[in-house]
Amino acid sequence: MPELPEVEVVRRGLDAHVVGRTIDSVEVLHPRAVRRHLLGSVDLAQRLERQTIAAAERRGKYLWLVLEPSATALVVHLGMSGQMLVQDPAVPDEKHLRIRARLDSGTDLRFVDQRTFGGWALADLVTVDGTELPDSVAHIARDPLDPRFDPAAVVKVLRGKQTEIKRALLDQTVVSGVGNIYADEALWRAEIHGNRPTDKLSAPRLHRLLGHVGDVMREALDQGGTSFDALYVNVNGQSGYFDRSLNAYGQENLPCRRCGAPIRREKFMNRSSYSCPRCQPRPRLVRG
């Protein structure tokens, strides 16, 4: 699934191309694309018409458009393959086009989703800790690129947990935006194995790890995110290229760029973890 840098690339594209535009009409082409909007496709389409897109916002992996005058949010779930594309109406429909919104600029905002795990849904806006969020996103923690992100508070939470550090990094209620790719990359930089217990890591070490999380995300963002296939693209359909800079994720059996040992792959939560056996030794005792 896309992580913070990939979602932020999409958000920036929407901010540049659709903010300030008014939605003239909406066509829902697949019911699964609106399954999170419990009142259905007709209600979604009717409520979006004549709404102006006032802002494109994000927290962690979560993306939404603020709508005026209704003061509601269109929450966009990208799922595993969702794309938000800004297209000329003359461009032929994409094979997996699920929703089309016609804007007053004469352009289309298209939601394309091959695997149909994503979708659109309307949500009320609520204020949490001084920030306005869709109510469906209110439980999500701030991410490392948020100006109000508080590393000391996150370190305190981590040290109070009794879990593995990689599991904690993936917990969106602790720190948002981190997925499998950037967790592995940050842990590699910090020379910490993902199975290490959070309460056994010192506060300075956790601070350094969170610093690496932010650094790797900023570097990925500068390169348009990580694209392993044609599914992760910006609003113009272009792929990112941070996959060329990965040090751990997906690098099984390739030499560690720091010490030369072959990168190992291990099973983790029905997916894979990648680490260096020399730089990131496994803890002697792993909690079950």
Side-chain angles (χ1 to χ4, degrees):
M1 294 180 68
E3 302 180 33
L4 184 156
E6 292 76 48
V7 178
E8 175 63 11
V9 167
V10 175
R11 188 207 66 79
R12 291 182 180 184
L14 294 172
D15 183 69
H17 293 284
V18 305
V19 168
R21 310 315 312 186
T22 297
I23 299 171
D24 284 342
S25 62
V26 175
E27 184 180 8
V28 178
L29 302 170
H30 197 294
R32 278 185 57 82
V34 295
R35 67 189 180 282
R36 294 179 180 86
H37 186 75
L38 300 183
L39 296 178
S41 58
V42 173
D43 179 81
L44 179 84
Q46 290 178 344
R47 290 172 62 186
L48 285 176
E49 287 180 6
R50 308 314 306 163
Q51 293 293 310
T52 296
I53 301 170
E57 303 287 356
R58 177 196 56 75
R59 172 167 286 191
K61 308 175 188 179
Y62 295 81
L63 174 70
W64 66 93
L65 300 175
V66 178
L67 305 174
E68 297 292 350
S70 65
T72 56
L74 173 61
V75 180
V76 179
H77 299 266
L78 295 176
M80 295 184 70
S81 58
Q83 302 173 354
M84 292 283 280
L85 302 179
V86 177
Q87 296 280 38
D88 187 299
V91 173
D93 288 355
E94 293 78 8
K95 180 179 180 181
H96 302 291
L97 178 62
R98 308 305 185 193
I99 306 174
R100 183 202 336 268
R102 182 63 51 84
L103 307 180
D104 64 349
S105 57
T107 57
D108 284 351
L109 176 59
R110 301 181 183 182
F111 181 68
V112 177
D113 188 9
Q114 177 178 328
R115 298 173 183 168
T116 65
F117 291 136
W120 290 6
L122 286 169
D124 293 329
L125 289 166
V126 296
T127 300
V128 179
D129 189 25
T131 301
E132 197 171 57
L133 304 166
D135 55 12
S136 58
V137 181
H139 64 293
I140 300 300
R142 294 187 186 275
D143 61 67
L145 302 193
D146 188 318
R148 296 180 64 182
F149 180 71
D150 186 350
V154 176
V155 166
K156 184 176 180 180
V157 171
L158 291 173
R159 298 208 74 205
K161 283 184 168 292
Q162 293 186 340
T163 188
E164 300 165 348
I165 184 60
K166 183 171 178 179
R167 288 179 185 270
L169 287 178
L170 298 181
D171 184 343
Q172 303 300 297
T173 67
V174 176
V175 54
S176 67
V178 186
N180 210 33
I181 297 173
Y182 299 112
D184 281 356
E185 289 300 298
L187 288 165
W188 180 86
R189 293 184 181 204
E191 299 184 53
I192 297 172
H193 191 279
N195 289 140
R196 289 203 171 272
T198 53
D199 57 339
K200 301 300 182 185
L201 291 167
S202 69
R205 228 176 157 194
L206 289 170
H207 272 284
R208 286 195 297 272
L209 173 60
L210 291 176
H212 287 305
V213 171
D215 289 343
V216 74
M217 286 183 169
R218 292 183 190 92
E219 291 170 25
L221 184 56
D222 288 342
Q223 297 181 44
T226 302
S227 300
F228 289 109
D229 55 34
L231 297 182
Y232 298 150
V233 298
N234 64 18
V235 297
N236 298 314
Q238 298 166 329
S239 298
Y241 51 92
F242 189 68
D243 58 298
R244 304 172 193 171
S245 302
L246 295 172
N247 292 298
Y249 186 86
Q251 307 302 300
E252 183 181 12
N253 294 325
L254 294 177
C256 171
R257 294 179 181 175
R258 188 166 43 220
C259 74
I263 296 293
R264 67 186 163 200
R265 178 172 66 89
E266 301 171 282
K267 291 183 179 179
F268 175 80
M269 294 174 60
N270 296 319
R271 60 187 96 179
S272 295
S273 281
Y274 298 87
S275 62
C276 173
R278 187 176 299 158
C279 300
Q280 300 166 267
R282 293 188 187 96
R284 293 180 182 178
L285 178 64
V286 179
R287 289 189 179 93

